[in-house]
Amino acid sequence: APGERVALVGPSGSGKSTVFRLLLRFYDPQSGTIRLDGVDLRDADPAEVRARMALVSQDSPLFSGSAAENIRFGRPDADLDSIRAVACAAQAEGFLDALPQGFETPLGDRARSLSGGQRQRLAIARALIRETPILLLDEATSALDAENEQLVQRALEGAMVGHTTLVIAHRLATVLKADRIVVMDGGKVVEQGTHAELAAKGGLYSR
C-alpha cells in the first residue's frame, strides 16, 4: 500500500532478492503478475518502472569521481543544495565535509578511499536524490562495525520516511518498525503479519 513499510525476511536463498529483481524487471514472472498502481509491469516501459524505484543494494556500485558526482548520478540536474540535503539525511554530510575538498574530493576507483559504512551512506544519498515513490532497501550491514552500522541504520530510517518501502531485513530493529512482515522460504511466502502476530504463531518467523 502507498506509504507502507514492508520487511522481507527469511533464510538465505528464500527468494528475497528475487522479489527485488522481479520488481525492477530484470526478469518477468513465469506465472502470475506483478502490478504497480494496478498496471501489469509487463505492459509498462521498464525505464518508466525503474524511474519510480530507488534501490540500495548490499554492495551499491560507486565510481571514481567526486562524492557530489556519485550522488548526482541519481539525478543529473540536482544542485548542490539538494545534494547536501540528501547527504545530511543519509548521515553522510559530516564525513564528506571532512574530506580535503569536501563534496568535490575525488574518491578514487570505486570510491575505495571510503570505508564500507561511508560507501553505503553515499549510496543511500544517491537513492534519496532520485525522489522516487518506492524505495527498495537491502539492509545488509553485516560487514560493518557497530558504529558504522548504527549510522547506516539511522540513514535508512530517515530514507524510509515518506516512501513506500520494501526492505530485505536482517536486523530485528528494522523488522519491529515494519507495518507488515512477509516471511519467505523456498521461494514462497509462508507467513505475513506484524512481529507480535508472527511471534505468537510459533512458525518459521518465531523460530
Side-chain angles (χ1 to χ4, degrees):
E4 190 180 24
R5 192 181 291 196
V6 178
L8 300 179
V9 302
S12 271
S14 59
K16 303 182 296 290
S17 298
T18 303
V19 170
F20 280 15
R21 292 183 194 125
L22 286 164
L23 281 169
L24 291 160
R25 279 203 75 191
F26 292 167
Y27 34 72
D28 286 326
Q30 289 159 302
S31 62
T33 54
I34 299 174
R35 290 192 178 88
L36 178 57
D37 283 341
V39 176
D40 187 331
L41 289 195
R42 282 173 293 201
D43 298 333
D45 176 353
E48 287 287 318
V49 172
R50 290 173 193 151
R52 283 162 175 74
M53 301 183 193
L55 169 71
V56 179
S57 62
Q58 291 185 31
D59 185 24
S60 297
L62 298 169
F63 46 84
S64 60
S66 69
E69 285 168 334
N70 267 285
I71 295 172
R72 198 178 274 122
F73 185 71
R75 202 178 88 222
D77 63 347
D79 60 24
L80 205 54
D81 286 343
S82 308
I83 288 171
R84 192 167 269 286
V86 294
C88 183
Q91 310 281 316
E93 191 179 26
F95 77 80
L96 291 175
D97 273 336
L99 294 171
Q101 297 154 345
F103 279 65
E104 299 305 328
T105 308
L107 301 177
D109 183 36
R110 294 188 189 174
R112 281 213 181 94
S113 61
L114 301 179
S115 73
Q118 290 172 335
R119 284 201 295 273
Q120 197 69 336
R121 282 178 276 158
L122 196 56
I124 293 167
R126 184 170 65 194
L128 288 179
I129 198 98
R130 297 190 57 201
E131 297 179 339
T132 59
I134 298 168
L135 205 52
L136 305 177
L137 302 176
D138 192 339
E139 65 124 35
T141 49
S142 53
L144 307 179
D145 60 54
E147 187 186 0
N148 261 314
E149 183 182 10
Q150 221 174 358
L151 287 163
V152 170
Q153 280 307 130
R154 219 177 294 158
L156 290 171
E157 273 300 306
M160 291 185 212
V161 176
H163 293 89
T164 302
T165 309
L166 271 142
V167 53
I168 295 176
H170 304 271
R171 299 171 80 260
L172 189 59
T174 306
V175 179
L176 290 172
K177 289 181 182 129
D179 299 309
R180 180 159 48 116
I181 300 160
V182 175
V183 187
M184 299 189 68
D185 193 26
K188 291 186 167 65
V189 171
V190 292
E191 296 178 309
Q192 287 193 66
T194 63
H195 171 76
E197 289 164 358
L198 293 171
K201 236 182 185 174
L204 176 63
Y205 179 82
S206 86
R207 282 209 303 284

